[in-house]
Amino acid sequence: MAFGTVGLKTHIWNNNARSVMLLAAYPFVIAAMVWAVGAAFGYIWEAGVSGDARSSRMAVAMGNGVVLEYWPLILTVVALWFMVAYFFHTRMLRTLSHARPVTRIEEPELYNLVENLCISQGVPMPKLEIIETRARNAFASGIDNKSYTITVTRGLLQSLEKDEVEGVLAHELTHIINRDVRLLIVSIIFTGMIGFIAQLAWSSFRYNLYLGGGRGGRRDGRIMVIVLVVMAILWVGYIATVFTRFALSRRREYMADAGAVEMTKNPDAMMRALLRIAKRDRIPETTDDVALMCTVNSKPFLGLFATHPPIEQRVQIISEVTGTPIPDMRAGERTDDDQRFVTPNEGKPNPWLSRRNKGE
C-alpha cells in the first residue's frame, strides 16, 4: 500500500489514487444522502400518521425505495456535475478569484521566468493569470496539460525580488508536476456540489419561513420537521466533505518547497519569498477554496483547521535541510523599490487594480 510511503513517485501515485477514490466515492455519498433524506421523510411521516413502531420499517422502506427508484437520476446529476466541472472549472476559479489571463506581451518577464522553469523540467508551459490585488500570493490550478494555470497576485510581483518570484513560481510548478493541483481541484469539486445544495436548501427554507411562517397545523408541523432534517443531512454531508480538505496532507507544501529549491538552486530566495508573503497572503473577496490552493494560507485562531504548515516551520525546514541561514528580515517586509520584480505596468495607472481594491 503506497499511502504511507515517502518519495516523489509515491507521492504522485498517491495523489492520483486519492483523486480517483474521491471521484468514485462521490456517487455513493450522494446516494447515501438521498437514502437518509428518504428514510427521514418516511419515519417522520409515518410516525405522525400511526404513532407506532412501524415508523422504523417505513423509514427503511422509504429510503430504499427512493434510491432504487431514482438511482438513474442520481447518476445523471453526478455525471452532469462532473461534465460542468471538467469543462468550466477554470472559468469558475477565475470568477471566484477575480483573476484575468495575461499574455506574453503584457507580462514578458513573468512569462520568461515560468518558461525557463518549464524548459528545465521538461514540462509544458501552463497558462498565466493575475489577480489585481495588493495581497501577496499565488496558486496553481487545472487537471491536465490543457488547463494547468499559474495565478499570481499583483502584490506579489510588486513586493518581491525576481529570484523570490521565481521561487514562488517553482513552488506552484512543483504542485502541477506532483499532481497536487489535480487532487485539490477534485476535492473542491467534491465539496462544491453538496455545499451548493445545502446552501440552496437553507436559502429556500429561510425564504419560506419569511413568506409562509405562522401557518400551522399538524401537517405543516411535520413538513417543517422534514425540511429541518433534510437540511441537517445536507449540512452533515457538507461538513464531511469539508473535512476531506483537511485530510489532504500538508506534506504537499513541504514537497513543493523542496521542489522549488531543487529547481532554482536558491533556498535563500525561497525563504525570503515565504517571509515576504507572510501576513499579506489573504486575497480579498475570494473563497476558502481558493485560499486552500495558495502558496500560503495563514489561519488565525491558533491555526485551527489550517491547511498549510506555519511559515516559520517551512522556513526552518528549508534552512536545516539546505544548511542555509534564515534571512534576517521581518515577516511581511517588502523589498526595496530598486530591487523588486519589474513589470511593464510599473508607473502606469492600473484600472483592474483600482477597481478590485475599492473595498480594501
Side-chain angles (χ1 to χ4, degrees):
M1 192 67 179
F3 285 105
T5 309
V6 176
L8 181 57
K9 292 292 183 184
T10 306
H11 180 74
I12 295 172
W13 190 93
N14 282 343
N15 280 344
N16 289 333
R18 288 191 180 108
S19 299
V20 172
M21 288 170 62
L22 282 175
L23 291 173
Y26 192 79
F28 293 100
V29 172
I30 297 295
M33 293 176 67
V34 171
W35 186 93
V37 170
F41 184 88
Y43 185 89
I44 295 170
W45 198 262
E46 183 64 20
V49 173
S50 61
D52 58 24
R54 289 187 301 172
S55 299
S56 298
R57 295 194 296 273
M58 184 65 182
V60 174
M62 183 71 81
N64 292 342
V66 169
V67 172
L68 292 175
E69 178 73 19
Y70 294 105
W71 69 265
L73 178 62
I74 295 170
L75 293 181
T76 301
V77 170
V78 171
L80 287 174
W81 171 249
F82 280 140
M83 287 180 63
V84 170
Y86 181 83
F87 288 107
F88 298 102
H89 68 275
T90 300
R91 189 172 300 178
M92 291 177 186
L93 282 174
R94 187 180 299 156
T95 302
L96 287 173
S97 62
H98 311 294
R100 65 181 181 91
V102 292
T103 64
R104 181 188 293 275
I105 296 175
E106 292 174 300
E107 301 289 340
E109 287 295 320
L110 181 62
Y111 248 89
N112 289 340
L113 277 181
V114 178
E115 191 173 57
N116 290 339
L117 290 171
C118 291
I119 291 173
S120 71
Q121 300 303 307
V123 297
M125 175 80 178
K127 299 173 184 174
L128 289 178
E129 296 190 352
I130 286 184
I131 305 173
E132 302 294 354
T133 169
R134 293 185 176 86
R136 306 170 192 172
N137 225 324
F139 64 87
S141 59
I143 56 176
D144 54 28
N145 288 335
K146 292 182 179 178
S147 60
Y148 285 140
T149 305
I150 292 180
T151 303
V152 300
T153 65
R154 182 65 67 191
L156 184 94
L157 300 179
Q158 293 180 335
S159 304
L160 275 64
E161 297 180 30
K162 183 176 180 179
D163 60 348
E164 296 164 358
V165 172
E166 184 183 41
V168 174
L169 296 172
H171 175 102
E172 297 306 329
L173 193 59
T174 304
H175 276 317
I176 292 176
I177 294 172
N178 292 353
R179 302 293 184 268
D180 296 328
V181 172
R182 181 182 297 172
L183 177 60
L184 286 170
I185 291 294
V186 170
S187 173
I188 290 170
I189 291 172
F190 186 84
T191 305
M193 185 178 183
I194 298 175
F196 174 76
I197 295 173
Q199 292 178 33
L200 186 66
W202 172 241
S203 299
S204 300
F205 176 67
R206 289 171 57 190
Y207 183 73
N208 287 334
L209 273 183
Y210 179 75
L211 291 181
R215 289 182 298 179
R218 187 176 182 181
R219 183 185 179 90
D220 288 345
R222 278 182 293 167
I223 292 175
M224 184 67 70
V225 173
I226 290 170
V227 170
L228 289 172
V229 170
V230 169
M231 286 197 305
I233 293 170
L234 285 171
W235 279 109
V236 168
Y238 174 63
I239 292 171
T241 54
V242 166
F243 271 95
T244 62
R245 290 188 290 179
F246 303 123
L248 299 175
S249 173
R250 294 201 288 176
R251 182 185 296 276
R252 70 183 187 275
E253 297 303 327
Y254 293 125
M255 297 192 71
D257 290 343
V261 171
E262 185 179 7
M263 274 190 218
T264 61
K265 315 297 183 192
N266 193 347
D268 183 68
M270 190 67 223
M271 289 189 285
R272 282 187 274 115
L274 290 173
L275 289 172
R276 291 196 202 284
I277 295 173
K279 302 179 180 179
R280 299 286 188 277
D281 61 291
R282 301 304 298 175
I283 301 174
E285 300 178 7
T286 191
T287 66
D288 286 343
D289 289 327
V290 173
L292 173 68
M293 299 190 297
C294 287
T295 305
V296 175
N297 182 21
S298 60
K299 285 287 184 182
F301 193 60
L302 303 177
L304 192 64
F305 301 127
T307 57
H308 289 51
I311 289 285
E312 299 79 9
Q313 194 171 336
R314 292 168 65 179
V315 170
Q316 183 69 37
I317 288 178
I318 294 174
S319 174
E320 291 175 356
V321 171
T322 62
T324 307
I326 295 176
D328 183 18
M329 57 184 289
R330 299 189 308 275
E333 183 176 306
R334 183 183 180 185
T335 189
D336 295 335
D337 288 348
D338 58 345
Q339 296 180 342
R340 61 195 169 103
F341 183 82
V342 178
T343 72
N345 293 323
E346 294 292 328
K348 298 179 181 179
N350 186 335
W352 293 84
L353 184 61
S354 302
R355 190 185 69 179
R356 295 286 354 136
N357 287 282
K358 283 181 179 178
E360 292 182 21

